[in-house]
Amino acid sequence: HQDRSSDGICPMNPSIMLDAVDIVKELGQGAGKVRALKGVSLELKAGELTLLMGPSGSGKTTLLSILGCILAPSAGSVTIAGERADGLDAEALAALRRRHIGFVFQSYNLFPTLNASENVRLALDVRGIKAAETIARAEAALREVGLGHRLKSYPRNMSGGEQQRVAVARALAGRPSVLLADEPTAALDSENGHAVMQLLSQIAKDQSRAVLAVTHDPRTHAYADRILKIEDGLIIGDERRAETRENITKIDVKKKKRKANG
Ligand code: ADP
Ligand code: MG
């Protein structure tokens, strides 16, 4: 990892967007101290959608917060797009987060008084991007998630699925190296859940981006390139699903044929 190219990507393996080694995290204090993560290592590759599954309390949110530079680990190292995240002070960590991370939450976290475009622009404003560019980038991101016709709509006038797509657009607009999602389909009905997963898998196909989504929802499996299982603060499973994308394509083709045949 010593030799970096000027864009910060490790020249040894530029497809590794995130590299976490031996992450330990202790939460709480005194008698209430909990070892939420007990030595987690993982790499995320550009072009892949990885799912993180595990029971409640297994450490999923804690891990996502550390990978997303919201929390600092108690021990271990995190490298994002070639930049070390551990050992940074809060300000430097936040700057790294703004440069490289996009977050999507179960509860969307949109501002009710801002329309879709303004919600996305707000995330760009805090990055110091000029107003004219924030307008163009917000519009492009909303088109990318299929909401080009909803630029001026307010959250209260959108379905849960549409609101979550605005949240995905907001994360995308920052051009993240790593997109992290914490149970992004948990509040959605089946159809909207599938639409959001489809969108995340499409976003992951971008060869400069890795996507990691925490999920309990077995319907999301079909969209995954890889499924990680976590239990009691440790990764206990890592399964690659090489044919998944092909299968989805085959299903789509069958559906289209069926439609074409009436
Ligand atoms: P998950 O997202 O998989 O449900 P979390 O990462 O939220 O799990 O929590 C992992 C463990 O850490 C749990 O045992 C939880 O009770 C504990 N925990 C989470 N946050 C705190 C905190 N602020 N203080 C003490 N313990 C915590
Ligand atoms: Mg959680």
Side-chain angles (χ1 to χ4, degrees):
H1 288 264
Q2 294 92 342
D3 188 22
R4 304 270 179 228
S5 61
S6 57
D7 58 4
I9 308 280
C10 179
M12 300 302 287
N13 195 343
S15 73
I16 305 291
M17 300 313 281
L18 184 148
D19 184 12
V21 182
D22 288 335
I23 300 298
V24 172
K25 183 63 182 178
E26 287 175 341
L27 292 166
Q29 272 161 12
K33 205 177 219 180
V34 173
R35 220 171 156 80
L37 298 173
K38 298 174 177 170
V40 168
S41 298
L42 63 92
E43 287 179 340
L44 296 180
K45 272 196 200 158
E48 286 192 346
L49 170 61
T50 303
L51 300 184
L52 178 64
M53 309 198 69
S56 180
S58 57
K60 303 182 298 293
T61 295
T62 305
L63 180 58
L64 226 55
S65 305
I66 289 171
L67 301 182
C69 302
I70 288 173
L71 271 182
S74 306
S77 73
V78 179
T79 307
I80 296 159
E83 292 190 56
R84 283 291 284 263
D86 48 292
L88 299 179
D89 62 24
E91 206 175 308
L93 195 62
L96 184 64
R97 179 169 70 235
R98 286 192 293 269
R99 274 200 301 284
H100 290 303
I101 303 289
F103 250 108
V104 175
F105 303 93
Q106 175 180 333
S107 48
Y108 328 133
N109 292 2
L110 301 178
F111 280 91
T113 55
L114 300 180
N115 67 32
S117 172
E118 290 163 346
N119 263 288
V120 176
R121 289 181 59 197
L122 188 62
L124 299 174
D125 286 341
V126 302
R127 288 172 162 85
I129 295 164
K130 288 199 189 101
E133 194 185 341
T134 65
I135 293 171
R137 269 166 74 165
E139 194 174 321
L142 285 162
R143 284 192 201 292
E144 196 172 340
V145 302
L147 291 177
H149 59 302
R150 293 296 235 154
L151 302 176
K152 300 276 189 270
S153 297
Y154 286 86
R156 66 174 173 278
N157 296 325
M158 287 188 269
S159 71
E162 285 176 326
Q163 290 181 60
Q164 190 58 302
R165 277 148 65 197
V166 174
V168 172
R170 178 179 56 189
L172 272 183
R175 297 177 183 157
S177 312
V178 180
L179 187 89
L180 301 170
D182 199 350
E183 307 206 30
T185 64
L188 300 177
D189 63 28
S190 174
E191 192 180 334
N192 280 307
H194 280 291
V196 165
M197 287 313 296
Q198 178 86 59
L199 180 61
L200 290 178
S201 80
Q202 212 176 305
I203 287 167
K205 280 180 193 157
D206 185 318
Q207 289 302 317
S208 63
R209 210 145 48 196
V211 181
L212 177 67
V214 166
T215 177
H216 281 302
D217 184 352
R219 293 169 307 187
T220 61
H221 287 196
Y223 299 96
D225 296 298
R226 182 182 174 199
I227 297 181
L228 291 171
K229 294 212 168 100
I230 185 170
E231 219 174 275
D232 200 19
L234 286 169
I235 301 284
I236 57 154
D238 185 352
E239 184 194 342
R240 219 160 254 291
R241 298 164 60 87
E243 292 147 45
T244 309
R245 288 272 165 73
E246 247 171 70
N247 288 342
I248 289 174
T249 312
K250 273 182 205 154
I251 293 164
D252 281 349
V253 169
K254 268 189 205 159
K255 270 190 197 158
K256 273 181 198 144
K257 270 189 190 159
R258 231 181 283 146
K259 258 193 192 164
N261 294 338

